[in-house]
Amino acid sequence: MNKKRRPNLQDVADLVGVTKMTVSRFLRDPQQVSIPVQKKLEQAINHLGYINNRAPSMLSNAKSQAIGVLVPSLTNQVFAEVIRGIESITDSANYQTMLAHYSYCPNQEEKHIASLLSYNIDGLLLSDMQHTPRTLQMLKASGIPVIEMMDTRSSHAGIAVGFDNVLAAYDMTETLIDKGYSQIVYLAARLDKRTELKYQGYQKAMLKNCLNPIQISTQTASSFSLGAQLLQQTLDTHPQTNAIFCTNDDLAVGAIFECQRQGIKVPDNMAIAGFHGHDIGQVLVPTLTTVITPREAIGQTAAKALLAQLNLKDNNHDIVQSTIDLGFSIHVGEST
């Protein structure tokens, strides 16, 4: 595969007006060069999207048979299933996956992408569509195919594979309203982009029906215990609430457990809906109403799309920006 030529040491040196040896010393230990030169080199590296290549130089234009995969969490069941889908495709195609997680932090994502690109990977599968300016520059400079997963609503750099988070949340909110609930509160955690998109869908449905949208949120990571805490906060601040729509099933399941602990009948006194359709929600009593999302299929489809793009590049065809929407479904359980 003829990869796009990446900026090299000489490019950085020429831009700053120093020698390649100076750039090399800076990369090994910035303290080896003066502070003014440090600042100039940092600016040049960011401007060019320079990536330190750890692979042997003789392999810089060859396939590594490795694909980088960035996910915000390795413990979240959503992304565990996405990874399973990816590796079901890459393994059979004899590609190695190099995994990294960035804890929903764009700067951490930037750091890990730089590291993965330094190993001369052939392509990248990303879980977000919002990146730092340096990340975008590195991706552009690398010339490798990039697939962004889990959403189709946001603008994206290459190919997007996922579903419409806004529409999914809108449809779930409409489902709750159609069942007669009017005091619906949206419970949110992490406050990443997809959580915000879900709130947009919820808010749109509420306003369309002349209802008051209310969000109770936290930057804390989702968990069953957090769902219980947010339910109590809802009861304390909005006692008229008769339904809650949670940004994921973890919060929803925790809210159901807390209702049972307090003797609050679900759904008679409180309806509860989640998002993603995890197995635990379907073995609860009552079973959870939730949005079913195709996590494993997203991983499989994204991996297939990336391999297809690598094949196109091998044959000197241009990569065309596109969106692959795998949809979602609303599952009405016993909790609403």
Side-chain angles (χ1 to χ4, degrees), residues 295-316:
R295 286 93 59 192
E296 188 167 350
I298 287 172
Q300 292 172 336
T301 304
K304 289 177 182 177
L306 187 63
L307 294 179
Q309 295 307 310
L310 290 172
N311 182 59
L312 286 175
K313 286 182 71 68
D314 285 344
N315 293 286
N316 296 317

Side-chain angles (χ1 to χ4, degrees), residues 19-267:
T19 65
K20 285 172 59 177
M21 184 63 69
T22 300
V23 180
S24 181
R25 286 202 304 269
F26 169 78
L27 292 172
R28 288 196 303 270
D29 180 7
Q31 301 303 317
Q32 292 188 33
V33 301
S34 67
I35 292 178
V37 174
Q38 286 181 35
K39 293 180 179 179
K40 290 180 180 179
L41 287 171
E42 288 173 357
Q43 291 172 355
I45 287 170
N46 290 336
H47 174 72
L48 293 172
Y50 172 77
I51 304 154
N52 190 23
N53 190 2
R54 295 174 185 164
S57 59
M58 69 179 66
L59 297 178
S60 61
N61 290 313
K63 279 189 174 181
S64 65
Q65 292 298 123
I67 291 171
V69 181
L70 269 290
V71 293
S73 171
L74 292 176
T75 57
N76 188 315
Q77 184 181 342
V78 170
F79 296 103
E81 292 176 7
V82 170
I83 292 170
R84 184 170 64 202
I86 291 169
E87 294 192 332
S88 71
I89 302 301
T90 56
D91 285 352
S92 60
N94 295 318
Y95 271 86
Q96 177 186 356
T97 55
M98 300 179 70
L99 300 176
H101 74 95
Y102 53 94
S103 301
Y104 296 89
C105 175
N107 290 330
Q108 278 293 100
E109 183 197 51
E110 175 189 302
K111 176 182 176 181
H112 288 307
I113 286 176
S115 178
L116 288 169
L117 289 174
S118 75
Y119 286 103
N120 209 43
I121 56 175
D122 295 328
L124 266 173
L125 295 171
L126 305 179
S127 302
D128 274 304
M129 297 184 182
Q130 288 189 318
H131 314 288
T132 67
R134 181 169 182 250
T135 293
L136 292 173
Q137 184 60 34
M138 286 191 295
L139 295 179
K140 181 180 178 181
S142 73
I144 62 174
V146 176
I147 310 288
E148 293 165 309
M149 304 178 290
M150 301 305 293
D151 183 50
T152 59
R153 177 64 67 110
S154 304
S155 60
H156 47 91
I159 294 178
V161 178
F163 58 93
D164 189 328
N165 282 273
V166 175
L167 181 59
Y170 177 89
D171 285 357
M172 175 54 81
T173 307
E174 284 280 5
T175 298
L176 293 172
I177 294 170
D178 288 345
K179 290 179 72 68
Y181 301 105
S182 58
Q183 305 294 326
I184 307 168
V185 174
Y186 177 67
L187 302 188
R190 281 291 189 189
L191 303 186
D192 61 302
K193 181 61 177 178
R194 285 184 291 274
T195 298
E196 294 173 5
L197 291 172
K198 293 170 194 173
Y199 177 73
Q200 291 177 22
Y202 155 82
Q203 182 183 47
K204 181 179 178 181
M206 293 291 282
L207 293 176
K208 175 193 169 188
N209 290 274
C210 300
L211 299 175
N212 182 34
I214 299 171
Q215 174 178 270
I216 293 181
S217 61
T218 175
Q219 289 281 6
T220 306
S222 295
S223 64
F224 298 153
S225 59
L226 181 62
Q229 294 172 25
L230 292 180
L231 172 72
Q232 186 58 57
Q233 186 176 342
T234 301
L235 295 174
D236 292 340
T237 57
H238 303 283
Q240 75 283 6
T241 301
N242 59 10
I244 58 173
F245 174 26
C246 302
T247 193
N248 57 45
D249 283 355
D250 287 352
L251 297 183
V253 169
I256 288 179
F257 287 156
E258 182 62 16
C259 282
Q260 292 172 342
R261 190 183 72 82
Q262 295 191 30
I264 300 170
K265 293 182 178 179
V266 178

